[in-house]
Amino acid sequence: TDTGMKLSKNKIFARVSSHQAADLVVQLSPAPKSKPAEVDFGSVFTDHMLTVEWSLTEGWQAPLIRPFGNLSLHPACSSLHYGIQLFEGLKVYRGDDGRLRLFRPTLNMKRMASSAKRACLPAFDQSELLECIRRLVEIEQDWVPHSNSASLYIRPTFIGTEPSLGVKKPARALLYVILCQAGSYFDTKNEAVSLWADPKYTRAWKGGSGDCKMGGNYGCSLFAQYEAEDYGCQQVLWLYGDDQQITEAGTMNIFLHWINEDGEEELATPPLDGIILPGVTRQSILDITREWNEFLVSERYLTMAQLCSALRQQRVREMFGSGTAAMICPIGHIFYQGENLHVPCQDQQITSRLAKELTDIQVGARTHARTQKTEVNDVSR
Protein backbone atom coordinates (compact mmCIF):
# COMPACT_ATOMS: atom_id res chain seq x y z
CA THR A 1 0.00 0.00 0.00
CA ASP A 2 1.31 3.41 -1.01
CA THR A 3 0.00 5.82 1.62
CA GLY A 4 1.70 8.96 0.33
CA MET A 5 1.95 8.75 -3.46
CA LYS A 6 1.78 12.20 -5.07
CA LEU A 7 0.75 12.69 -8.67
CA SER A 8 1.92 15.38 -11.07
CA LYS A 9 1.31 18.88 -9.73
CA ASN A 10 -2.18 20.12 -10.53
CA LYS A 11 -2.66 22.84 -7.89
CA ILE A 12 -6.20 21.63 -7.54
CA PHE A 13 -8.78 24.43 -7.38
CA ALA A 14 -6.01 27.02 -6.92
CA ARG A 15 -7.59 29.40 -9.44
CA VAL A 16 -10.67 29.96 -7.28
CA SER A 17 -9.02 30.13 -3.89
CA SER A 18 -6.26 32.24 -2.39
CA HIS A 19 -4.98 29.06 -0.79
CA GLN A 20 -2.68 27.00 -3.05
CA ALA A 21 -3.94 23.42 -2.84
CA ALA A 22 -1.39 20.66 -2.44
CA ASP A 23 -0.81 17.90 -4.99
CA LEU A 24 -3.27 15.08 -5.25
CA VAL A 25 -2.42 12.35 -2.74
CA VAL A 26 -3.37 8.69 -3.18
CA GLN A 27 -3.81 6.17 -0.37
CA LEU A 28 -4.48 2.75 -1.86
CA SER A 29 -6.67 0.19 -0.12
CA PRO A 30 -4.74 -2.74 1.39
CA ALA A 31 -7.71 -5.09 0.83
CA PRO A 32 -9.47 -4.63 -2.54
CA LYS A 33 -12.99 -6.08 -2.71
CA SER A 34 -14.05 -8.83 -5.07
CA LYS A 35 -16.06 -7.54 -8.01
CA PRO A 36 -19.55 -9.03 -8.40
CA ALA A 37 -20.76 -10.10 -11.85
CA GLU A 38 -24.08 -8.26 -11.60
CA VAL A 39 -25.47 -5.88 -8.98
CA ASP A 40 -28.44 -3.61 -8.45
CA PHE A 41 -27.90 0.04 -9.34
CA GLY A 42 -26.07 1.96 -6.61
CA SER A 43 -25.61 -0.91 -4.18
CA VAL A 44 -21.94 -1.96 -4.53
CA PHE A 45 -19.17 0.62 -4.39
CA THR A 46 -15.56 0.53 -5.51
CA ASP A 47 -12.46 0.40 -3.31
CA HIS A 48 -11.60 4.11 -3.28
CA MET A 49 -13.16 7.56 -3.08
CA LEU A 50 -12.04 11.14 -3.62
CA THR A 51 -12.40 13.75 -0.87
CA VAL A 52 -11.55 17.47 -0.89
CA GLU A 53 -12.20 19.65 2.14
CA TRP A 54 -12.80 23.40 2.10
CA SER A 55 -12.96 26.09 4.77
CA LEU A 56 -13.50 29.81 4.57
CA THR A 57 -10.28 30.50 6.45
CA GLU A 58 -7.96 28.08 4.60
CA GLY A 59 -9.66 27.50 1.23
CA TRP A 60 -9.37 24.17 -0.57
CA GLN A 61 -7.21 21.51 1.05
CA ALA A 62 -5.25 18.76 -0.71
CA PRO A 63 -7.44 16.41 -2.76
CA LEU A 64 -7.18 12.88 -1.41
CA ILE A 65 -7.97 9.54 -3.03
CA ARG A 66 -8.37 7.11 -0.15
CA PRO A 67 -9.98 3.76 0.67
CA PHE A 68 -13.77 3.89 0.52
CA GLY A 69 -15.21 4.47 3.97
CA ASN A 70 -17.70 6.31 6.12
CA LEU A 71 -17.59 10.08 6.62
CA SER A 72 -17.25 11.70 10.01
CA LEU A 73 -19.71 14.60 10.38
CA HIS A 74 -20.60 16.92 13.24
CA PRO A 75 -24.19 16.36 14.49
CA ALA A 76 -24.97 20.02 13.69
CA CYS A 77 -23.67 19.68 10.12
CA SER A 78 -25.54 22.16 7.89
CA SER A 79 -26.15 19.59 5.15
CA LEU A 80 -28.08 17.41 7.61
CA HIS A 81 -30.22 20.21 9.04
CA TYR A 82 -30.76 22.59 6.14
CA GLY A 83 -30.15 20.52 3.04
CA ILE A 84 -27.07 22.45 1.92
CA GLN A 85 -26.12 19.64 -0.41
CA LEU A 86 -25.94 18.71 -4.09
CA PHE A 87 -24.71 15.89 -6.28
CA GLU A 88 -23.95 14.92 -9.87
CA GLY A 89 -24.16 11.72 -11.88
CA LEU A 90 -22.08 10.60 -14.84
CA LYS A 91 -20.77 7.33 -16.20
CA VAL A 92 -17.60 5.65 -17.45
CA TYR A 93 -17.95 3.30 -20.42
CA ARG A 94 -15.58 0.63 -21.69
CA GLY A 95 -15.41 0.45 -25.46
CA ASP A 96 -14.75 -2.58 -27.65
CA ASP A 97 -11.20 -1.20 -27.96
CA GLY A 98 -10.78 -1.51 -24.18
CA ARG A 99 -10.51 2.26 -23.69
CA LEU A 100 -12.49 3.99 -20.96
CA ARG A 101 -14.51 7.08 -21.77
CA LEU A 102 -16.49 9.64 -19.82
CA PHE A 103 -19.54 10.91 -21.69
CA ARG A 104 -19.68 14.73 -21.90
CA PRO A 105 -18.31 15.27 -18.37
CA THR A 106 -17.78 19.00 -18.83
CA LEU A 107 -21.57 19.43 -18.91
CA ASN A 108 -21.79 17.70 -15.53
CA MET A 109 -19.09 19.97 -14.11
CA LYS A 110 -20.89 23.05 -15.43
CA ARG A 111 -24.19 21.91 -13.90
CA MET A 112 -22.49 21.08 -10.62
CA ALA A 113 -20.94 24.55 -10.46
CA SER A 114 -24.36 26.10 -11.09
CA SER A 115 -25.92 23.98 -8.33
CA ALA A 116 -23.09 24.96 -5.94
CA LYS A 117 -23.72 28.64 -6.56
CA ARG A 118 -27.44 28.19 -5.86
CA ALA A 119 -26.66 26.28 -2.63
CA CYS A 120 -24.18 28.95 -1.44
CA LEU A 121 -21.34 26.42 -1.54
CA PRO A 122 -17.86 27.57 -2.63
CA ALA A 123 -16.75 27.74 -6.26
CA PHE A 124 -14.36 25.11 -7.55
CA ASP A 125 -12.22 24.67 -10.66
CA GLN A 126 -14.25 22.44 -12.95
CA SER A 127 -11.34 21.18 -15.06
CA GLU A 128 -9.25 20.31 -12.00
CA LEU A 129 -12.09 18.40 -10.38
CA LEU A 130 -12.55 16.51 -13.63
CA GLU A 131 -8.85 15.63 -13.62
CA CYS A 132 -9.18 14.28 -10.06
CA ILE A 133 -12.16 12.19 -11.18
CA ARG A 134 -10.19 10.94 -14.18
CA ARG A 135 -7.39 9.79 -11.87
CA LEU A 136 -9.87 8.06 -9.55
CA VAL A 137 -11.33 6.22 -12.55
CA GLU A 138 -7.84 5.14 -13.61
CA ILE A 139 -7.28 3.60 -10.20
CA GLU A 140 -10.68 1.85 -10.30
CA GLN A 141 -10.59 0.88 -13.98
CA ASP A 142 -10.99 -2.84 -13.26
CA TRP A 143 -14.45 -2.04 -11.91
CA VAL A 144 -15.67 -0.80 -15.31
CA PRO A 145 -17.77 -3.64 -16.80
CA HIS A 146 -16.80 -5.26 -20.08
CA SER A 147 -20.28 -4.67 -21.46
CA ASN A 148 -22.19 -2.18 -23.59
CA SER A 149 -25.20 -2.56 -21.31
CA ALA A 150 -23.40 -1.69 -18.06
CA SER A 151 -21.01 1.00 -16.86
CA LEU A 152 -19.34 2.56 -13.84
CA TYR A 153 -21.43 5.30 -12.26
CA ILE A 154 -19.71 8.37 -10.80
CA ARG A 155 -21.41 10.30 -7.98
CA PRO A 156 -19.71 13.62 -7.12
CA THR A 157 -21.28 15.05 -3.97
CA PHE A 158 -20.87 18.46 -2.34
CA ILE A 159 -22.12 19.15 1.20
CA GLY A 160 -21.97 21.93 3.74
CA THR A 161 -20.22 20.77 6.91
CA GLU A 162 -20.63 23.91 9.01
CA PRO A 163 -20.87 22.68 12.66
CA SER A 164 -23.53 25.21 13.62
CA LEU A 165 -27.32 25.39 13.81
CA GLY A 166 -27.36 28.88 12.32
CA VAL A 167 -29.08 29.18 8.94
CA LYS A 168 -26.26 30.76 6.94
CA LYS A 169 -23.76 30.22 4.19
CA PRO A 170 -21.46 27.38 5.37
CA ALA A 171 -17.91 28.22 6.33
CA ARG A 172 -16.89 24.59 5.87
CA ALA A 173 -17.67 22.14 3.09
CA LEU A 174 -16.71 18.74 1.74
CA LEU A 175 -16.60 17.65 -1.90
CA TYR A 176 -16.33 13.91 -2.42
CA VAL A 177 -16.72 11.41 -5.25
CA ILE A 178 -17.78 7.76 -5.01
CA LEU A 179 -18.17 5.13 -7.74
CA CYS A 180 -20.47 2.14 -8.20
CA GLN A 181 -21.27 -0.37 -10.89
CA ALA A 182 -24.39 0.41 -12.90
CA GLY A 183 -26.57 -1.93 -14.89
CA SER A 184 -30.23 -1.37 -15.74
CA TYR A 185 -31.84 1.39 -13.64
CA PHE A 186 -35.38 0.02 -13.95
CA ASP A 187 -36.46 -3.55 -13.26
CA THR A 188 -38.42 -3.52 -16.51
CA LYS A 189 -35.24 -3.74 -18.62
CA ASN A 190 -36.39 -2.72 -22.14
CA GLU A 191 -40.11 -2.59 -21.33
CA ALA A 192 -42.01 0.70 -21.33
CA VAL A 193 -42.70 2.32 -17.95
CA SER A 194 -46.04 3.52 -16.65
CA LEU A 195 -46.58 7.01 -15.21
CA TRP A 196 -49.05 8.47 -12.74
CA ALA A 197 -50.08 12.08 -13.42
CA ASP A 198 -51.79 14.11 -10.71
CA PRO A 199 -51.43 17.90 -10.41
CA LYS A 200 -51.77 17.85 -6.61
CA TYR A 201 -48.00 17.25 -6.30
CA THR A 202 -45.35 19.60 -7.72
CA ARG A 203 -41.71 18.66 -8.24
CA ALA A 204 -40.42 22.20 -8.78
CA TRP A 205 -41.68 25.75 -9.23
CA LYS A 206 -40.58 29.05 -10.78
CA GLY A 207 -37.96 30.73 -8.65
CA GLY A 208 -37.07 27.47 -6.90
CA SER A 209 -34.15 25.11 -7.35
CA GLY A 210 -35.70 22.57 -9.75
CA ASP A 211 -32.97 23.24 -12.30
CA CYS A 212 -30.27 22.25 -9.78
CA LYS A 213 -29.27 18.72 -8.82
CA MET A 214 -29.97 18.94 -5.11
CA GLY A 215 -30.90 16.04 -2.89
CA GLY A 216 -34.00 17.81 -1.58
CA ASN A 217 -35.55 17.73 -5.06
CA TYR A 218 -35.46 13.94 -4.90
CA GLY A 219 -36.27 13.27 -1.27
CA CYS A 220 -39.46 15.33 -1.44
CA SER A 221 -40.61 13.31 -4.47
CA LEU A 222 -40.74 9.98 -2.63
CA PHE A 223 -44.22 10.44 -1.17
CA ALA A 224 -45.73 10.94 -4.63
CA GLN A 225 -43.62 8.11 -6.01
CA TYR A 226 -45.12 5.61 -3.56
CA GLU A 227 -48.62 6.89 -4.25
CA ALA A 228 -47.94 6.29 -7.95
CA GLU A 229 -47.11 2.68 -7.08
CA ASP A 230 -50.46 2.39 -5.29
CA TYR A 231 -52.04 3.11 -8.66
CA GLY A 232 -49.92 0.44 -10.33
CA CYS A 233 -47.49 2.92 -11.90
CA GLN A 234 -43.70 2.98 -11.72
CA GLN A 235 -43.00 6.71 -11.88
CA VAL A 236 -44.65 10.11 -11.48
CA LEU A 237 -45.39 12.36 -14.44
CA TRP A 238 -44.81 15.75 -12.84
CA LEU A 239 -47.25 18.51 -13.82
CA TYR A 240 -46.98 22.23 -13.14
CA GLY A 241 -49.35 25.18 -13.12
CA ASP A 242 -53.03 25.71 -13.80
CA ASP A 243 -52.59 24.47 -17.36
CA GLN A 244 -50.90 21.28 -16.11
CA GLN A 245 -47.66 21.61 -18.00
CA ILE A 246 -45.75 18.35 -18.47
CA THR A 247 -42.33 18.81 -16.90
CA GLU A 248 -40.43 15.62 -16.00
CA ALA A 249 -41.07 11.88 -15.63
CA GLY A 250 -39.81 10.60 -12.30
CA THR A 251 -36.16 11.64 -12.29
CA MET A 252 -36.00 11.88 -16.09
CA ASN A 253 -36.41 14.60 -18.69
CA ILE A 254 -39.31 13.85 -21.00
CA PHE A 255 -39.71 13.82 -24.81
CA LEU A 256 -42.80 13.58 -27.00
CA HIS A 257 -42.55 12.39 -30.63
CA TRP A 258 -45.81 13.34 -32.31
CA ILE A 259 -47.63 15.09 -35.09
CA ASN A 260 -48.25 18.50 -33.55
CA GLU A 261 -51.25 20.79 -33.84
CA ASP A 262 -49.91 22.21 -37.12
CA GLY A 263 -49.58 18.78 -38.69
CA GLU A 264 -45.78 18.71 -38.37
CA GLU A 265 -43.74 15.75 -37.19
CA GLU A 266 -42.02 16.98 -34.07
CA LEU A 267 -39.82 15.82 -31.20
CA ALA A 268 -40.60 18.13 -28.29
CA THR A 269 -39.27 18.51 -24.76
CA PRO A 270 -40.09 21.16 -22.10
CA PRO A 271 -37.80 24.23 -22.13
CA LEU A 272 -35.19 25.03 -19.49
CA ASP A 273 -37.18 27.70 -17.68
CA GLY A 274 -35.93 27.13 -14.13
CA ILE A 275 -38.04 24.11 -13.19
CA ILE A 276 -36.45 21.61 -15.59
CA LEU A 277 -33.12 19.93 -14.83
CA PRO A 278 -30.70 20.52 -17.75
CA GLY A 279 -29.96 16.85 -18.38
CA VAL A 280 -26.80 15.83 -20.22
CA THR A 281 -28.67 13.04 -22.03
CA ARG A 282 -31.45 15.52 -22.81
CA GLN A 283 -28.98 17.89 -24.47
CA SER A 284 -27.36 15.01 -26.36
CA ILE A 285 -30.74 13.89 -27.73
CA LEU A 286 -31.42 17.42 -28.94
CA ASP A 287 -27.97 17.62 -30.56
CA ILE A 288 -28.29 14.25 -32.31
CA THR A 289 -31.85 14.65 -33.59
CA ARG A 290 -31.16 18.17 -34.86
CA GLU A 291 -28.23 16.71 -36.74
CA TRP A 292 -30.61 14.15 -38.34
CA ASN A 293 -32.67 17.06 -39.69
CA GLU A 294 -35.60 14.72 -40.34
CA PHE A 295 -38.31 16.46 -38.29
CA LEU A 296 -38.89 19.50 -36.14
CA VAL A 297 -36.99 19.40 -32.83
CA SER A 298 -38.38 21.82 -30.26
CA GLU A 299 -37.98 22.97 -26.69
CA ARG A 300 -41.56 24.02 -25.94
CA TYR A 301 -44.29 23.85 -23.32
CA LEU A 302 -46.51 20.76 -23.43
CA THR A 303 -49.72 20.33 -21.43
CA MET A 304 -51.79 17.33 -20.45
CA ALA A 305 -54.68 18.72 -22.51
CA GLN A 306 -52.47 18.74 -25.61
CA LEU A 307 -51.24 15.22 -24.90
CA CYS A 308 -54.73 13.81 -24.27
CA SER A 309 -56.02 15.41 -27.46
CA ALA A 310 -53.10 14.02 -29.46
CA LEU A 311 -53.63 10.54 -28.01
CA ARG A 312 -57.34 10.61 -28.91
CA GLN A 313 -56.49 11.72 -32.44
CA GLN A 314 -53.71 9.10 -32.70
CA ARG A 315 -51.06 11.75 -33.34
CA VAL A 316 -48.61 10.44 -30.74
CA ARG A 317 -45.86 8.20 -32.07
CA GLU A 318 -43.62 7.74 -29.04
CA MET A 319 -42.98 9.21 -25.62
CA PHE A 320 -39.86 8.57 -23.56
CA GLY A 321 -37.78 9.74 -20.64
CA SER A 322 -34.04 10.38 -20.61
CA GLY A 323 -31.34 10.57 -17.96
CA THR A 324 -27.85 9.46 -17.05
CA ALA A 325 -29.07 6.48 -15.02
CA ALA A 326 -31.90 5.34 -17.30
CA MET A 327 -30.52 6.78 -20.59
CA ILE A 328 -33.57 6.21 -22.85
CA CYS A 329 -36.75 4.84 -21.29
CA PRO A 330 -39.95 4.40 -23.37
CA ILE A 331 -43.27 5.32 -21.77
CA GLY A 332 -46.22 2.99 -22.35
CA HIS A 333 -49.05 4.13 -20.07
CA ILE A 334 -50.14 7.24 -18.18
CA PHE A 335 -52.78 7.02 -15.45
CA TYR A 336 -54.57 10.38 -15.42
CA GLN A 337 -57.91 11.42 -13.91
CA GLY A 338 -59.02 7.83 -13.44
CA GLU A 339 -58.17 6.82 -16.99
CA ASN A 340 -55.28 4.64 -18.16
CA LEU A 341 -53.96 6.35 -21.28
CA HIS A 342 -52.14 4.07 -23.70
CA VAL A 343 -49.05 5.60 -25.32
CA PRO A 344 -47.89 3.95 -28.58
CA CYS A 345 -44.48 2.38 -28.10
CA GLN A 346 -44.49 -0.87 -30.08
CA ASP A 347 -42.12 0.24 -32.83
CA GLN A 348 -39.85 2.41 -30.64
CA GLN A 349 -38.24 3.75 -33.81
CA ILE A 350 -36.85 6.90 -32.24
CA THR A 351 -36.04 5.45 -28.81
CA SER A 352 -34.23 2.43 -30.26
CA ARG A 353 -32.31 4.55 -32.74
CA LEU A 354 -31.31 7.11 -30.12
CA ALA A 355 -30.30 4.41 -27.64
CA LYS A 356 -28.00 2.84 -30.23
CA GLU A 357 -26.44 6.12 -31.32
CA LEU A 358 -25.84 7.25 -27.75
CA THR A 359 -24.34 3.89 -26.80
CA ASP A 360 -22.09 3.91 -29.86
CA ILE A 361 -20.80 7.38 -28.95
CA GLN A 362 -20.33 6.47 -25.29
CA VAL A 363 -18.23 3.38 -26.04
CA GLY A 364 -16.33 5.01 -28.89
CA ALA A 365 -17.87 2.97 -31.72
CA ARG A 366 -18.71 6.19 -33.57
CA THR A 367 -17.92 9.87 -33.29
CA HIS A 368 -20.23 12.82 -33.07
CA ALA A 369 -18.98 16.24 -34.06
CA ARG A 370 -20.45 18.06 -31.08
CA THR A 371 -19.52 15.54 -28.39
CA GLN A 372 -16.25 14.22 -29.79
CA LYS A 373 -14.62 17.60 -30.27
CA THR A 374 -15.21 19.21 -26.91
CA GLU A 375 -17.14 17.00 -24.51
CA VAL A 376 -15.86 13.40 -24.57
CA ASN A 377 -12.93 12.84 -22.27
CA ASP A 378 -10.95 9.64 -22.88
CA VAL A 379 -9.55 8.52 -19.52
CA SER A 380 -7.13 6.04 -21.11
CA ARG A 381 -4.89 8.80 -22.42
Side-chain angles (χ1 to χ4, degrees):
T1 303
D2 188 344
T3 58
M5 181 174 65
K6 290 188 176 181
L7 304 179
S8 58
K9 292 186 176 180
N10 292 317
K11 294 184 178 179
I12 308 298
F13 311 126
R15 281 175 276 178
V16 293
S17 172
S18 59
H19 180 81
Q20 292 292 313
D23 297 341
L24 178 63
V25 175
V26 176
Q27 298 175 354
L28 297 179
S29 172
K33 299 188 288 284
S34 60
K35 300 167 184 60
E38 185 175 349
V39 297
D40 293 333
F41 182 89
S43 61
V44 176
F45 296 89
T46 65
D47 296 306
H48 301 88
M49 62 191 297
L50 169 71
T51 60
V52 197
E53 295 187 11
W54 174 89
S55 69
L56 182 62
T57 55
E58 297 183 359
W60 288 103
Q61 302 302 299
L64 172 65
I65 293 176
R66 63 176 179 84
F68 186 93
N70 294 337
L71 302 175
S72 178
L73 298 175
H74 192 281
C77 177
S78 58
S79 60
L80 298 178
H81 292 268
Y82 307 119
I84 302 178
Q85 175 268 6
L86 59 95
F87 66 96
E88 264 302 324
L90 60 159
K91 290 179 177 179
V92 185
Y93 301 87
R94 187 186 298 277
D96 292 337
D97 57 2
R99 296 165 74 88
L100 307 182
R101 295 174 177 87
L102 296 170
F103 181 67
R104 310 192 79 173
T106 56
L107 295 184
N108 293 96
M109 296 298 99
K110 181 180 178 180
R111 188 172 64 184
M112 186 172 179
S114 177
S115 297
K117 182 177 180 180
R118 185 67 170 82
C120 293
L121 286 166
F124 59 90
D125 188 296
Q126 299 174 39
S127 61
E128 297 293 1
L129 173 57
L130 186 54
E131 173 59 20
C132 287
I133 292 174
R134 188 197 68 81
R135 184 64 182 100
L136 178 61
V137 170
E138 280 186 339
I139 291 172
E140 305 287 55
Q141 60 185 284
D142 289 343
W143 283 86
V144 183
H146 293 260
S147 169
N148 286 353
S149 62
S151 57
L152 188 67
Y153 184 79
I154 304 172
R155 174 54 64 90
T157 307
F158 201 3
I159 63 174
T161 54
E162 174 78 17
S164 169
L165 295 182
V167 182
K168 58 186 176 180
K169 182 184 296 187
R172 301 188 66 86
L174 172 67
L175 195 162
Y176 66 93
V177 182
I178 54 179
L179 313 175
C180 68
Q181 288 186 328
S184 176
Y185 186 72
F186 293 113
D187 293 335
T188 55
K189 303 293 183 182
N190 296 323
E191 296 179 13
V193 299
S194 56
L195 304 179
W196 176 68
D198 192 314
K200 69 179 179 180
Y201 295 121
T202 302
R203 190 198 78 89
W205 51 91
K206 296 289 180 67
S209 58
D211 58 344
C212 299
K213 206 164 178 65
M214 297 178 174
N217 294 341
Y218 298 80
C220 68
S221 72
L222 288 176
F223 191 83
Q225 167 65 31
Y226 283 101
E227 188 164 343
E229 293 179 10
D230 291 339
Y231 284 91
C233 299
Q234 296 154 294
Q235 295 288 322
V236 177
L237 179 60
W238 297 103
L239 307 178
Y240 176 77
D242 293 336
D243 57 351
Q244 297 185 16
Q245 295 172 21
I246 295 170
T247 62
E248 296 189 5
T251 59
M252 302 180 290
N253 294 121
I254 196 163
F255 284 84
L256 175 63
H257 180 215
W258 68 334
I259 303 300
N260 65 23
E261 303 94 333
D262 298 323
E264 302 169 295
E265 183 181 357
E266 179 183 35
L267 181 67
T269 191
L272 302 180
D273 62 354
I275 64 174
I276 303 294
L277 186 72
V280 175
T281 308
R282 173 190 181 275
Q283 185 59 52
S284 301
I285 290 170
L286 292 173
D287 292 340
I288 290 171
T289 53
R290 283 168 177 160
E291 184 184 72
W292 291 351
N293 196 30
E294 297 175 8
F295 43 74
L296 182 64
V297 179
S298 306
E299 296 174 77
R300 54 168 288 188
Y301 292 105
L302 299 165
T303 67
M304 279 303 297
Q306 289 174 311
L307 176 60
C308 290
S309 176
L311 287 171
R312 286 194 301 268
Q313 298 170 15
Q314 299 183 344
R315 291 187 285 112
V316 175
R317 295 189 173 179
E318 291 177 83
M319 197 171 180
F320 60 91
S322 71
T324 296
M327 197 166 81
I328 304 289
C329 183
I331 295 165
H333 296 273
I334 300 174
F335 189 82
Y336 174 66
Q337 294 185 343
E339 184 179 359
N340 192 19
L341 306 174
H342 172 70
V343 181
C345 62
Q346 289 87 353
D347 293 337
Q348 297 185 17
Q349 294 180 358
I350 295 297
T351 53
S352 297
R353 184 177 172 188
L354 278 171
K356 185 180 187 309
E357 290 214 17
L358 283 168
T359 299
D360 286 348
I361 294 170
Q362 289 162 348
V363 301
R366 69 175 291 260
T367 60
H368 183 273
R370 194 179 295 265
T371 59
Q372 181 71 13
K373 184 170 62 174
T374 60
E375 320 292 2
V376 174
N377 185 21
D378 189 336
V379 300
S380 64
R381 289 182 297 185

